[in-house]
Structures are given as C-alpha cells and as structure tokens.
Amino acid sequence: MANTTPPNPPSTPVKLLSFAFPFRKKGQTNGGAATDFTDEHEIYQLLKQESSGAFPVSSGGMWHGGIHITEAGAGQSMDIQGGIRCIADGEVVAWRLNRAYPVSEIPAHDGQSAVQAPYSTGFALVKHTMEFPPGTKLTFFSLYMHLQDYAGYESDPTLPWPAYWAAKVEVTQDTIDKPNPGANGQPVPGGQTGLNVHVSKPNGAVLGILPQGTQVSLSRREGNWGQIADDPGALYPPTIGTYVPSSVAKDRWIFLGKEIGREGPVVKNVVPDSSFDCVNVVPEEKRVKVKAGDVVGFLGRYDSLRDSTSTRMVHIEVFCDDSIKQFIAAGRAWVNSNVGNASQWSQLGLSSQPTILRVGTGVQLYQAPPPGQPGQDQKQTDVIQVYQLASLPRDSNHMVAETATGNDGQKRNWWKVDSADIQRNPISGWVREQSFAGGMVASEHAQSWVDFVCHDEDHDPTHTIFAASQDYVDYKTDKQTPNPGSKDKLSPLMAAIYSELFPTGDGAHAADELADIGQGPQGSGFPWVAFRASRLIPKHESEWANPAKWQELVSAIEQHTGPKPEHEEEKKRIANLVWWDEVQAGVQGFPGSDVFHIHPVGLVGNFCQGGFRFTLPMMQHMFPNANSVILQQVIDELNPHLDLFRLDSLVRRNHFFAQVKQEVGPSLAIDDESLNYSATALATGGIYTYFTSHPADAQTYGRTNQHPANQEAIANHAYAGQDGNGGILTGDGYRYRGRGMIQLTHRGGYRRFTLWHRQNGENWIADENINFEETPDIVGQVKFAVRSACYFWVVNRLYNVADAGSALTVVDNVTRVVNPGLFHGAPSSQKTASITGRRTNFSEIDNWGGLQ
C-alpha cells in the first residue's frame, strides 16, 4: 500500500442521522442470513398480523402511541433472534431491566382457572437529535418497551448484552496470575490467584493482581483489553512482602480474553444488583452512544391477564415535544427555496437529488411506459402512495428511462407502481417521475416530511379514543345508547384523525373503523389506512405517565361490570410500567407527558434508504463463491457508511469492487495474505525485490519439492524496513502482513488506519479506541477488513480517480495506487495477470450495471 497520511475530513454543517428499521428480515432458508428491509410497505403488510397495538388506536378502541411486534405475529417473518434495533443514531438516557419478569396472579374464580401471567417492565429510552436546516434542531426519543429479563440472558449466554447496561466484569476462577515469591523467598499464600493489572497493554509492567471474584467497571475496551474505571477495592501486590494500594489500578489495563488451556475467559460480565427492577436514569457524562441498527434488547414476555397464552413482544414508539411543528415547517421552507440549487445542498453535506416518489390521488395509471396510453379501464388512484426511490425495483418490468424528452424538456424515468382505486381494490400501472413538488406525481426530499401532518386537538384524559370515559364504556359494553361508536362520540383529536383516514366515511361506526386500522386478513390487499396513519403525528398524553388516569378508566368500567380480579392486577401492572416522572426528573429537557407521537416505521421509511443500498443479490453476483453470511456482514458494514466511504456513485462502486475482487477473489477470501510462493517465483517473478537480489534465500524459504514455503520468513525478509517495519529479526514483516479486502500492509499502514479509524470513531462507537498496530490480527475480521479497504480508498482519494470514468486507463490509474509494484520493474506473468484481472473485473461489473 502507498504511504499515505489521511487528510482532514470535511466538516458537515448539519447533524445528519442514520436510520434503520427496528428489525431485519428473517433469512429465506434455515440458517440463511437475515437481510435489511428496504421497503416500509413490507412491514405494514406484516403488521396486519398483530391483533393489538396498531398506531394510533388499539384494537380495543384505546389510544396507542406506538406499534407492537410479537413473536407469533409480524415477528414470524422478522429476525427477532437478531434483536431489536435502534431506529436512529442517539444515546441511551434511561433503561430498566427485570431480574426476572414480575407475574400477575389471578386466583381461580367463577369457574375460571387461575392465571399466572409474566410481563416485562423493562425498557430502553434513546435520545436523538437531528438538524435541518442549519441551526434548526429537533430532539426526539425512541422507546423500546417490554424487553427481555436478565434471567433470559443467563439462560442463553450467546445473547449479546446491550452496551448501555451498567455492567461490570468479574474476575473468574479461570485466572492463573499469582504474585511473585518474596525477595527473601516468602512463598505465595494459597488462594492468591487472580488477574494481572498492567500499566499499559499488552506487555506493560504488572502493578498488582485483582483477586478472583473482584468486580470492576471498565471505562473503555480495546480488543481483548479493558481499562479499569474506578478503584477496585482489593489488590494483591505483584510480589509477596510488598504493598500497593488498590487505587493504583484505576485507569490501568486488564486482559479480558481466555488463557491457553483454560475453559472460560478470565472475566465475565455482571450487572450490579442495584440496577435491577428500577428506572436507571443515565447521567449525561456516562451515556452510551448507539448507532442506527445497534441492538437495544430482545422481545420480552407480556402475557395476557385473560388467557394462558405466552406472548413475547416489544412496544416501539417515538415521541417529541411541540418543536416538531416548527421543525417540519422550517425544513419544508428551506427545501422549497432551494429545489434544484445543488450548491446549497452540497454546503449542507447533502445530495440535491430527491429521494421519494409521491403518487397522489386521482392519478391515471398507464398500462405501459412510453409510448403507452392509459388503459381502457381508466385505473385511477384514490390513495396517496409514497415510495423511497431507492426501494423501487430497477428492472425493465418496473422502471423504464425515456429515450426522448417529454413536454418538460427532460428525459425522466417511468415507474410501475401499486395503488388502490375508490373501492380500495388493488391497482397497478405506470407513472412518469416528475421533479417538481406539489404535483400529482412528484419527486420529493425526505427533509420535507412528505405527507406528515401534526394534530393537537383535545383528547380523552383516560386514554380512550372517546370524548369521555363513559362513552368508551358504552361502546365496549354494548349498552343500549344511540350510536355508541359514532364519530360524534369521539374526542376532537380522534374525530380529526378519523377524517384524515376515512375522508369519505359517514362516521356511523367510526370507533370500529379506527380500531381496525392495522387489521385485515392476510392476502386482503395492502393496508392503505395503516399506511396513511403512519404519516400522522398526534399529540397525546403518554401511556407511561400518570397511572391514576388508567385507574380512573378501570373504575368507570367497574361501575358497569362490578369489581373483577383482573382489574386489580391490571392496576398493579400499570403502576409498575410507568416511568415518565423519574426520567423527567433526571434528564434535562425531557418533555412533559403530553407529547407528539411519530410512527416509528413511518419515520424510518421517510428518512432511511435515501440512496443506493447494497443487497445480498448484488454481492452474490460479484462474489458467487462467497458465504452468504459473510457477504451480509460486508453489506451491513458498507450501507450505513456509503458517504463516509465515498462509495456514493455508480462509477466509484464499480472501480472499488473491481479492485476488491482481484484482491480477494470470487469467494471473498479476506484471510491473511498468502505468501505461499515457490522458490522460482520469488527469485525470478519480480514479486519482492529482496528475493530477486537474494536468490539463495528464495531457495531457502520458497516452496520447493523438498519443503513448503516458510511464509513467516518470506514476509519478514520481503517487508523488512518498509514503512515503519523493523528489521528482519523483529518479525514486523509477518506481524503486519496484508489483511483486509484491500490488503493493509506494514506497521505504518496499521498505524495510519488506527488514526483514521479513531478520527471517524463516532461511526463505530464500540470500536472507536481500537489500536490496530497493537492488535493487527483483528483486521482479518469482516467489519475491519471492510473498513481498512475503505480507509485506503478514502485517504488515497481513489474516488476522485474513479470519477474520471469507465475507460480501462482509469482502471489502471486506480490500480497504480492500490498496487504500484505491478507497474514498477520488469513485467512478469503475475503482474500482467493482476492488471488484466482488474480490467476484466471492472468491465464485467460495469457492463452488468447492477450497482446503481
């Protein structure tokens, strides 16, 4: 690799967030890799399987500020084993963890069996901040409620612990470190075994030994090493007969891995007793940052009080204060003023290209793209459809580019879209993409919050959708009152929402229609009402505050039904579930409990997938012999960082993977560099100048009929003294041999990669302090193999070289930077094959055109 110092990255004047859907799609086969959802419409189809918990009205006619995903419902098609994913970049401000689920108990009564119903009160609350335009910010929160208890993690040690837990590490019985005997021969007392505390890692002097069973907090982790955050309270001296205070261990390092010959690691994670079954509000200075897609927990139990069915589920919601109205207005105004002004977008670090295709009502669909005409049946849309352009299929059955200019003087794309007619029958047909906002078919920007509408009308204080609690009781108990579920009985908020969702409805059965928002049998068509509801932002009292209001509703119900055992248990549950007041007392700027609620899938759907995304079929096309799990790991690393990695155009991606494929082959072999050279190739192939000049050493270390290649010796001789490496005897050549998708080589290369990686640490919080110079082997892990290749691409500004186009001379110019040795010295068959291979790779990928 070239000896390159990374330039200072450009500053971004607005706070840009990454977004991710809260679950991934389950693999298509047993053991198949989970993949990202790229189209929010898929998720609304799956949510039809949830019998409760739709947004913003539950199936029981209650307010519901989020969505439910259950193991038996939508979760059947989601990768729930992979965990619940944070929907956007942020920081955890509060959490609660049940040591074991609390249990609601109802004794046998009235001929009904006794009920024991576990339920989770665990949650994670994440704070997010986004900015657009510059100086205008929105703080919002995402909530993940009913998370798995600690007992579930103990029963399945393969589950990763969330980073936000106030976890410590405990020194285990698998440690082997002991003090040295005293200067006068004093023996080591029995039992003084533990874990060495080092001044520095990995080979720093030993300050003392943590006794087995000691628990310590870590301020940071780097590979298999951890830095102690506080005084551990106990420390054996390094030598018998001496003394060191335990306080010297603070800010020093301990090994976290597994000793040779031992069954388990030297430390295990533990959660302090004080952290269980209470609201843990995280001080600002100790908050753990999370990225979009990071796992925040797993589905927890939430069993019904009315039957014995075991239910695992999560409730996900997003909320914010009143500033959402001004934030949306400011964003729309800026977009409207700067449509088509690429330089203004560029100054904000954003693309000026629209990301959303909006098809309004009354659009006449064409049977075919140009020169097609409207069909004889005059298919006309009666719903608003919104697509992320990046999620639309780009094959000839779904997209056609115009070859002649239209009436606007432009050549645009035609898209085949799905919609519904006035009877809500599914229809499909072709529309022409437009560039102007406000048209019946328009290309829009995510920053315009397309079709989102805020509602802050009055609502029922006891969380029903009615104007008064008694109206709800009448509706639920079939009391003989006129029109118990009609629109005129709804609260002003819900009446307004009904009008949004059912603009032609007569309102006679408004409550039933609202309660059915998210329902519908499978195969019954797309849930258009649920989709429209995903763009509403209603203001309502949170379910997680003021339990007295719930109890007031229960009391109103009991006036009709009389007291019931399940009602008392419901009151206990509600009291245990609330957390709002404790969070508000500890988190500065946290809003009051009357907040605006945003559909989590609608929010992600608007802002996520705003451009190109790698997919598994794309990667399988380029690397047909590769393991699909590894390919998906590559995708997961690339997609969140396409801008950072400068893979934000087709020609850049084509050039990048032309080089990568030559380096790792069709199987994507990211193993350490192979140095299995024959003696002849080393001596005469011009591979390494050292062996060309020392043919005897080539014969000694290269592969012959008498012995295999000594790859370690080859590397140590070939790379000695290069780019920060020491001499042959230091072993640096082999220690810093090539690794990654574009081979990272030499001590200097690993050092510079470490610097770049830390400069961009906010993109990978958990790994930001890793030192690759100290732990070079981990570059062979998939995520670091990807990052190291992209580091090389970025710091050498190869994206600028790639921008010159698709000529083979451009391929050679990229190759000259990736492997300059191919163009130096005498040509050889190996050099020629490598140059030709990169050209062939580029031509195949470019002609395929699949990375657009």
Side-chain angles (χ1 to χ4, degrees):
M1 276 193 180
N3 186 357
T4 307
T5 301
N8 293 325
S11 60
T12 302
V14 292
K15 171 89 174 162
L16 300 178
L17 291 186
S18 295
F19 286 84
F21 289 114
F23 285 95
R24 307 185 76 192
K25 194 185 310 184
K26 183 181 289 186
Q28 297 299 305
T29 59
N30 289 336
T35 57
D36 286 335
F37 284 99
T38 58
D39 184 356
E40 64 179 301
H41 297 73
E42 276 192 88
I43 301 178
Y44 298 115
Q45 286 278 31
L46 297 177
L47 291 177
K48 290 166 60 176
Q49 301 174 67
E50 298 297 348
S51 59
S52 65
F55 177 91
V57 180
S58 75
S59 59
M62 300 290 294
W63 158 259
H64 196 255
I67 61 171
H68 287 176
I69 293 175
T70 63
E71 183 178 43
Q76 294 181 83
S77 301
M78 296 178 176
D79 179 31
I80 59 175
Q81 301 303 319
I84 305 159
R85 308 167 73 218
C86 190
I87 66 165
D89 302 342
E91 58 183 14
V92 177
V93 297
W95 56 280
R96 180 164 57 197
L97 173 65
N98 298 131
R99 182 188 293 276
Y101 299 125
V103 178
S104 297
E105 298 184 277
I106 302 175
H109 66 288
D110 300 331
Q112 298 181 5
S113 301
V115 173
Q116 288 193 322
Y119 65 99
S120 168
T121 70
F123 71 86
L125 181 66
V126 183
K127 176 183 177 182
H128 315 269
T129 302
M130 62 192 308
E131 181 182 7
F132 186 87
T136 303
K137 295 184 179 181
L138 173 71
T139 297
F140 65 95
F141 297 85
S142 60
L143 170 70
Y144 311 86
M145 192 79 195
H146 310 311
L147 300 183
Q148 179 173 274
D149 65 353
Y150 184 67
Y153 286 90
E154 289 185 308
S155 65
D156 186 356
T158 65
L159 292 180
W161 284 20
Y164 58 83
W165 285 359
K168 295 186 176 182
V169 294
E170 180 179 305
V171 180
T172 69
Q173 301 299 310
D174 282 293
T175 50
I176 59 176
D177 299 326
K178 296 181 179 181
N180 296 316
N184 297 322
Q186 300 102 313
V188 177
Q192 286 201 10
T193 304
L195 182 63
N196 283 338
V197 177
H198 296 263
V199 173
S200 60
K201 60 176 179 64
N203 300 313
V206 175
L207 289 173
I209 301 166
L210 293 175
Q212 292 179 348
T214 303
Q215 295 183 4
V216 295
S217 298
L218 300 180
S219 57
R220 64 175 177 169
R221 296 173 183 249
E222 292 189 16
N224 280 330
W225 290 85
Q227 189 174 35
I228 299 173
D230 304 300
D231 183 343
L235 198 68
Y236 296 139
T239 302
I240 297 300
T242 61
Y243 169 77
V244 290
S246 60
S247 60
V248 304
K250 184 177 183 297
D251 298 326
R252 302 307 185 179
W253 294 86
I254 55 174
F255 180 64
L256 306 176
K258 185 177 177 181
E259 300 284 6
I260 296 175
R262 309 298 286 188
E263 292 186 3
V266 295
V267 298
K268 64 179 181 180
N269 291 332
V270 293
V271 176
D273 290 342
S274 60
S275 297
F276 290 112
D277 299 304
C278 61
V279 176
N280 297 280
V281 178
V282 186
E284 189 168 356
E285 67 276 7
K286 293 186 177 181
R287 290 177 187 166
V288 173
K289 293 182 180 179
V290 290
K291 301 294 291 182
D294 285 352
V295 174
V296 294
F298 295 84
L299 271 63
R301 289 284 292 275
Y302 202 80
D303 292 7
S304 169
L305 288 170
R306 293 164 184 82
D307 56 53
S308 57
T309 303
S310 174
T311 303
R312 292 178 66 224
M313 63 166 287
V314 63
H315 168 105
I316 305 172
E317 70 176 65
V318 177
F319 58 85
C320 60
D321 64 15
D322 290 5
S323 63
I324 180 74
K325 296 168 70 176
Q326 187 274 333
F327 184 81
I328 292 177
R332 288 172 175 168
W334 192 95
V335 172
N336 290 338
S337 298
N338 293 279
V339 168
N341 191 336
S343 64
Q344 289 295 317
W345 288 90
S346 178
Q347 289 177 28
L348 304 188
L350 300 173
S351 169
S352 63
Q353 295 301 307
T355 59
I356 293 171
L357 179 69
R358 181 186 186 274
V359 181
T361 59
V363 172
Q364 196 163 282
L365 301 182
Y366 282 61
Q367 282 187 322
Q373 295 296 321
Q376 294 180 353
D377 55 359
Q378 299 292 304
K379 294 178 182 177
Q380 194 172 76
T381 63
D382 194 59
V383 297
I384 297 172
Q385 174 63 300
V386 176
Y387 290 102
Q388 277 285 347
L389 285 165
S391 72
L392 288 168
R394 280 166 162 72
D395 58 80
S396 59
N397 293 322
H398 297 88
M399 185 197 81
V400 171
E402 291 180 334
T403 57
T405 58
N407 293 335
D408 59 358
Q410 300 293 322
K411 295 179 181 178
R412 301 200 185 278
N413 292 325
W414 282 70
W415 301 95
K416 189 174 185 181
V417 299
D418 297 321
S419 189
D421 62 18
I422 194 169
Q423 285 84 31
R424 293 300 186 268
N425 296 316
I427 59 176
S428 64
W430 291 81
V431 295
R432 184 178 190 261
E433 175 184 327
Q434 302 294 324
S435 62
F436 56 87
M440 295 175 69
V441 179
S443 299
E444 304 273 7
H445 293 82
Q447 292 80 7
S448 291
W449 291 72
V450 180
D451 287 311
F452 283 87
V453 180
C454 294
H455 282 279
D456 56 2
E457 295 85 355
D458 290 341
H459 59 79
D460 174 21
T462 61
H463 302 294
T464 78
I465 64 174
F466 291 85
S469 300
Q470 187 58 47
D471 292 329
Y472 172 78
V473 175
D474 292 343
Y475 168 70
K476 294 299 290 184
T477 58
D478 292 325
K479 190 172 181 178
Q480 296 302 309
T481 56
N483 305 317
S486 61
K487 179 180 177 182
D488 61 334
K489 299 295 180 66
L490 301 180
S491 68
L493 173 66
M494 287 301 164
I497 287 176
Y498 175 82
S499 296
E500 287 263 14
L501 301 180
F502 303 95
T504 61
D506 62 13
H509 302 284
D512 290 340
E513 292 177 275
L514 288 173
D516 196 42
I517 285 175
Q519 300 306 299
Q522 290 302 295
S524 62
F526 185 77
W528 291 104
V529 177
F531 181 71
R532 179 70 196 108
S534 72
R535 266 54 183 178
L536 302 183
I537 307 178
K539 185 177 183 180
H540 199 285
E541 179 104 28
S542 172
E543 303 167 58
W544 318 110
N546 301 326
K549 293 188 175 183
W550 286 104
Q551 295 174 4
E552 179 184 337
L553 177 61
V554 173
S555 297
I557 294 172
E558 287 184 334
Q559 289 179 13
H560 177 80
T561 65
K564 291 188 176 182
E566 58 264 32
H567 291 164
E568 287 305 311
E569 287 301 310
E570 192 69 58
K571 290 178 183 179
K572 293 178 184 178
R573 278 194 174 190
I574 292 167
N576 288 336
L577 285 167
V578 297
W579 47 261
W580 199 281
D581 290 346
E582 291 175 84
V583 173
Q584 188 176 25
V587 177
Q588 185 177 5
F590 193 74
S593 58
D594 209 16
V595 288
F596 282 95
H597 292 78
I598 311 172
H599 196 297
V601 175
L603 177 68
V604 176
N606 185 72
F607 286 101
C608 190
Q609 320 297 337
F612 169 86
R613 306 285 286 182
F614 285 102
T615 65
L616 188 59
M618 290 178 188
M619 300 300 288
Q620 289 172 327
H621 180 93
M622 291 188 291
F623 303 99
N625 301 332
N627 180 288
S628 63
V629 174
I630 292 178
L631 289 178
Q632 188 60 51
Q633 292 174 352
V634 173
I635 293 166
D636 294 343
E637 189 60 43
L638 289 172
N639 279 341
H641 308 126
L642 291 176
D643 290 336
L644 173 67
F645 293 161
R646 300 296 195 272
L647 296 176
D648 45 0
S649 74
L650 175 62
V651 70
R652 291 178 177 186
R653 293 187 285 271
N654 290 349
H655 277 290
F656 178 80
F657 276 103
Q659 298 293 327
V660 167
K661 189 169 184 179
Q662 188 63 29
E663 297 282 325
V664 299
S667 63
L668 195 68
I670 57 172
D671 300 330
D672 295 352
E673 176 185 9
S674 173
L675 297 130
N676 185 24
Y677 293 109
S678 69
T680 301
L682 285 176
T684 63
I687 302 169
Y688 301 114
T689 56
Y690 174 86
F691 288 107
T692 303
S693 303
H694 300 80
D697 284 348
Q699 189 68 29
T700 300
Y701 302 122
R703 185 183 69 252
T704 68
N705 292 332
Q706 286 74 43
H707 58 75
N710 185 334
Q711 296 192 46
E712 184 170 354
I714 291 172
N716 287 335
H717 285 75
Y719 295 143
Q722 296 183 21
D723 190 14
N725 284 353
I728 293 172
L729 297 180
T730 66
D732 281 355
Y734 189 70
R735 183 178 300 111
Y736 300 106
R737 63 191 179 277
R739 297 181 179 92
M741 291 203 316
I742 294 179
Q743 301 282 286
L744 181 68
T745 316
H746 306 143
R747 180 186 285 269
Y750 282 78
R751 183 182 301 138
R752 290 189 296 277
F753 177 41
T754 298
L755 174 63
W756 178 87
H757 195 266
R758 289 182 173 179
Q759 286 175 336
N760 294 282
E762 65 178 12
N763 293 284
W764 30 72
I765 303 299
D767 304 324
E768 63 180 328
N769 292 314
I770 289 177
N771 188 321
F772 299 102
E773 187 178 359
E774 293 183 357
T775 55
D777 288 347
I778 67 173
V779 176
Q781 296 179 19
V782 175
K783 62 181 176 180
F784 301 125
V786 174
R787 290 179 200 170
S788 64
C790 294
Y791 145 78
F792 184 78
W793 176 263
V794 170
V795 300
N796 286 288
R797 302 184 186 276
L798 285 171
Y799 52 90
N800 285 338
V801 180
D803 287 346
S806 301
L808 294 183
T809 54
V810 180
V811 179
D812 289 348
N813 289 339
V814 176
T815 302
R816 281 188 172 87
V817 180
V818 174
N819 194 338
L822 297 176
F823 298 89
H824 295 164
S828 66
S829 59
Q830 290 95 338
K831 291 181 179 181
T832 301
S834 183
I835 294 171
T836 302
R838 294 165 205 266
R839 291 177 175 179
T840 301
N841 291 341
F842 180 83
S843 295
E844 289 178 349
I845 295 172
D846 191 50
N847 291 333
W848 166 48
L851 298 183
Q852 58 183 327

